[in-house]
Amino acid sequence: MNKILRGVVQFRQTVRKDLAKQFAEIQDHPTPTAVMFTCMDSRMLPTRFTQSQVGDMFVVRNAGNMIPDAPTYGAFSEVSVNTEPAALELAVKRGGIRHIVVCGHSDCKAINTLYGLHQCPKNFDSSSPMDHWVRRNGFNSVKRLNERLHRGPSAMKFENEVVPSQSFEAIIDPVDRLPVEDKLSQINVLQQLVNICSHEFLKEYLESGKLHIHGMWFDIYAGEDYLFSKDKKQFVVIDEKNVTDLMAELDARYPVPEDEKDQKVAFAHT
Ligand SMILES: [Zn+2]
């Protein structure tokens, strides 16, 4: 705790003034445009590696950046009592954000636990909330990992039954350079994109093109961030060389809806 307290004092002496200015500028009208689901790992600093500022995005963190899927779909769907769907509703319906980002990472302890349980199911501890969490929400990711290991680096389909337009294909680790746990981590990010769509209240936003879901992955030891490219069907490093192509892909896939363009013009004139 001493480190945290010393940090607060250091914060007061350095960045506080500048941050307070930003809070004052935004006041009660922050306009975040994205919600990021990422891992609680202490090495993950999402606002730092995206250089986000006050009011830019919502961040939800848990073990393994998992979003539990809806227990049932369609007219019979139940209301979920988990944090993650609640955060989705807050960000999308009340916050009006247009982008959901799921960001996983290399050497993820939650994913390593999931893989360990897959290798040795008898190690499952029925009194462990963590074991239950990763098994319940990582079950499908492990199934897809088995498929990837069996078939090699070919395109895998991530079918979306609830919102078919959100289906995509992915080639996980095309040159087989990642350890198996990191392959699972990347698959797990993409599986969450499917899980998110299972929540009925998002369907109309997704189908009308007002909401988009993206997968990212952070290589901790290299400090490199990747974006999943639906065009290239793989994770692509976000660097000076690739960023223009990645932004062009996003612009082409997710054009700003006509009615929102009008809103922007209206805001510009007020
Ligand atoms: Zn993690």
Side-chain angles (χ1 to χ4, degrees), residues 155-197:
M156 293 165 60
K157 278 201 170 95
F158 284 76
E159 298 275 9
N160 203 306
E161 288 173 27
V162 186
V163 191
S165 61
Q166 296 290 317
S167 301
F168 59 90
E169 289 190 341
I171 306 165
I172 300 296
D173 192 16
V175 290
D176 257 332
R177 70 176 181 89
L178 297 175
V180 65
E181 292 89 343
D182 287 352
K183 286 184 176 62
L184 177 58
S185 173
Q186 290 195 343
I187 289 171
N188 182 62
V189 166
L190 301 182
Q191 184 58 44
Q192 304 317 307
L193 309 191
V194 179
N195 289 3
I196 287 169
C197 294

Side-chain angles (χ1 to χ4, degrees), residues 5 10 14 29 39 43 69 79 100 111 115 118-119 125 134 141 146 164 171 175 219 225 243 260 269:
L5 299 187
Q10 198 186 357
T14 52
H29 308 290
C39 186
R43 298 165 295 178
D69 58 359
V79 176
I100 301 171
I111 295 297
Y115 184 67
H118 168 58
Q119 291 294 90
D125 176 357
V134 296
S141 302
N146 284 339
I171 306 165
V175 290
D219 185 334
D225 231 319
V243 72
E260 285 187 24
H269 290 295

